[in-house]
Amino acid sequence: MNVKKQDYFWWRGFALAVGIGVLGWTTEVQAQQAWPSKPIRLVVAGPAGGSADALARLLAEGMQQELGKPVIVESKPGAAGALAIGDLMSNGKDGHTLLVIQGGAVSETPLAYKVHYQPFTDLKPLAQLSRTGLVLVANKDLPVSNLQQVVAYGKSQKDGVSFASYAAGMKGHTSGMLLGKLTQMQMNHVGYKGSPPALTDLMGGHVPLMFDGVTTSLPLIKSGKIKAIAVNYPTRIAALPEVPTFKELGYPQLAQAGWFAVWSRPDAPAAVQQKMRELTLAHFKRAEVQNRLKDMGMEQGGSETSEEMMAELKQAYEQQSALLKSIDYKPE
């Protein structure tokens, strides 16, 4: 083959490669511009009627108004969020499947359970929906009304005091153990599969104390069926303004509130990720949405970027890991 023919085939191959690249780029741009081209699925890592489900439905309202496409909320509870995350992994590349889950899916669950996803590489938080946290609650007949009395009561018990949590290895568990360590009070953990059975036993007097999500405990607190002692938010919350924070009571180590967010696969189209972030932040700033959050015992989410949220979760992961090691916890 002479030089001219070599040059011809080289330029032909180069042109073909450029053409394929341009075609691929054009196809990706068209796909992003066309989004959404079909109904969007918001997969929820939690049961229907739960906190994540309620937040997803709030988000779906704003998405449908803004995008003009149906938004389907699908609850996939179980396996510590792994089922919902697996759905996102399988179906979320084009941005038509998104996930609503707590940040604990990255900072807590992989430490407490054996999961089949890489928390810091398989998931990307796009925007916060709300801030949420835990409240230390007590059986209504327990002779305590504040944290000082809880500590005194616990120390007066020969074998320590029992407390419930919604799941072993999660923050409801480690918060109780940390409180015991900070106050030199023996705290005996009783793990449950979810808040409802734990709250039932709390009301029945089978366990005197519990660290629970504010959202699930709030109706029982309001109706006087259980007592709120302290919350782990950095500041007092609107739903329970009379309840102090652990921070103001002298235990800043227990100020560990978390957040819910809408998540995508990291390789979902960048334009889709940006659109969802802008839409979510704008919708959740509306006064009517913020009022509904307060009714659920939640606070407005922050405006941190994906990178800032992941940095926060990495710090929380390290803290949670240290706590679990200190109690010799083994993943289930």
Side-chain angles (χ1 to χ4, degrees):
M1 184 182 292
N2 60 36
V3 175
K4 287 185 177 180
K5 283 187 177 180
Q6 287 179 334
D7 289 345
Y8 167 76
F9 284 113
W10 186 90
W11 280 108
R12 184 181 178 185
F14 176 76
L16 180 61
V18 170
I20 291 172
V22 170
L23 178 62
W25 176 81
T26 303
T27 302
E28 184 178 351
V29 170
Q30 289 174 340
Q32 293 180 15
Q33 290 175 340
W35 184 88
S37 59
K38 58 184 178 181
I40 300 170
R41 298 171 62 239
L42 279 181
V43 181
V44 176
S51 301
D53 180 69
L55 288 168
R57 294 182 187 281
L58 270 178
L59 177 58
E61 292 175 10
M63 291 174 66
Q64 288 179 162
Q65 292 170 9
E66 179 69 21
L67 301 173
K69 288 285 186 180
V71 180
I72 302 164
V73 177
E74 294 185 18
S75 295
K76 288 206 167 184
L83 295 179
I85 292 170
D87 192 320
L88 178 70
M89 294 297 97
S90 298
N91 302 300
K93 189 171 183 179
D94 65 356
H96 285 86
T97 295
L98 300 164
L99 174 70
V100 173
I101 195 171
Q102 267 192 303
V106 168
S107 63
E108 296 177 58
T109 306
L111 293 166
Y113 301 94
K114 295 176 182 178
V115 299
H116 301 287
Y117 60 91
Q118 298 298 319
F120 292 104
T121 56
D122 290 345
L123 300 168
K124 183 176 182 178
L126 302 181
Q128 290 183 20
L129 306 179
S130 71
R131 290 233 167 225
T132 186
L134 301 179
V135 56
L136 175 61
V137 289
N139 175 274
K140 67 180 181 64
D141 296 322
L142 197 70
V144 300
S145 59
N146 56 50
L147 186 59
Q148 184 180 10
Q149 292 175 356
V150 167
V151 174
Y153 173 82
K155 288 183 174 181
S156 72
Q157 304 301 301
K158 179 182 177 181
D159 298 319
V161 60
S162 297
F163 76 100
S165 81
Y166 48 82
M170 303 294 279
K171 196 169 288 184
H173 176 186
T174 55
S175 292
M177 302 307 293
L178 180 56
L179 176 63
K181 182 178 180 179
L182 293 171
T183 60
Q184 298 183 334
M185 169 178 57
Q186 183 178 333
M187 296 281 280
N188 305 315
H189 177 246
V190 183
Y192 289 81
K193 294 187 180 298
S195 288
L199 288 168
T200 297
D201 275 6
L202 180 72
M203 289 186 288
H206 302 292
V207 284
L209 299 168
M210 179 180 178
F211 274 89
D212 189 40
V214 173
T215 302
T216 46
S217 282
L218 186 61
L220 301 177
I221 295 169
K222 293 291 188 182
S223 63
K225 294 179 180 178
I226 58 177
K227 293 186 284 192
I229 304 298
V231 295
N232 76 339
Y233 283 83
T235 59
R236 294 197 184 198
I237 61 172
L240 296 169
E242 72 286 356
V243 179
T245 68
F246 281 104
K247 184 177 180 179
E248 67 184 274
L249 294 173
Y251 302 101
Q253 303 93 325
L254 284 161
Q256 301 173 352
W259 38 261
F260 282 95
V262 57
W263 305 64
S264 73
R265 279 177 43 157
D267 59 353
V272 173
Q273 295 182 34
Q274 184 61 26
K275 179 66 176 177
M276 274 303 304
R277 174 174 169 77
E278 292 172 355
L279 186 158
T280 301
L281 292 178
H283 183 61
F284 276 78
K285 283 181 181 177
R286 295 176 179 172
E288 63 270 23
V289 174
Q290 291 188 32
N291 287 335
R292 290 166 72 177
L293 290 177
K294 290 177 182 178
D295 290 341
M296 292 189 286
M298 297 184 182
E299 300 285 296
Q300 182 181 355
S303 58
E304 290 88 346
T305 65
S306 297
E307 293 74 20
E308 289 169 339
M309 285 187 277
M310 272 304 194
E312 181 182 329
L313 291 175
K314 285 180 180 178
Q315 184 178 10
Y317 180 94
E318 295 300 329
Q319 292 173 344
Q320 186 73 356
S321 177
L323 281 171
L324 289 175
K325 285 178 181 177
S326 73
I327 61 174
D328 197 29
Y329 180 85
K330 299 294 188 297
E332 295 185 1

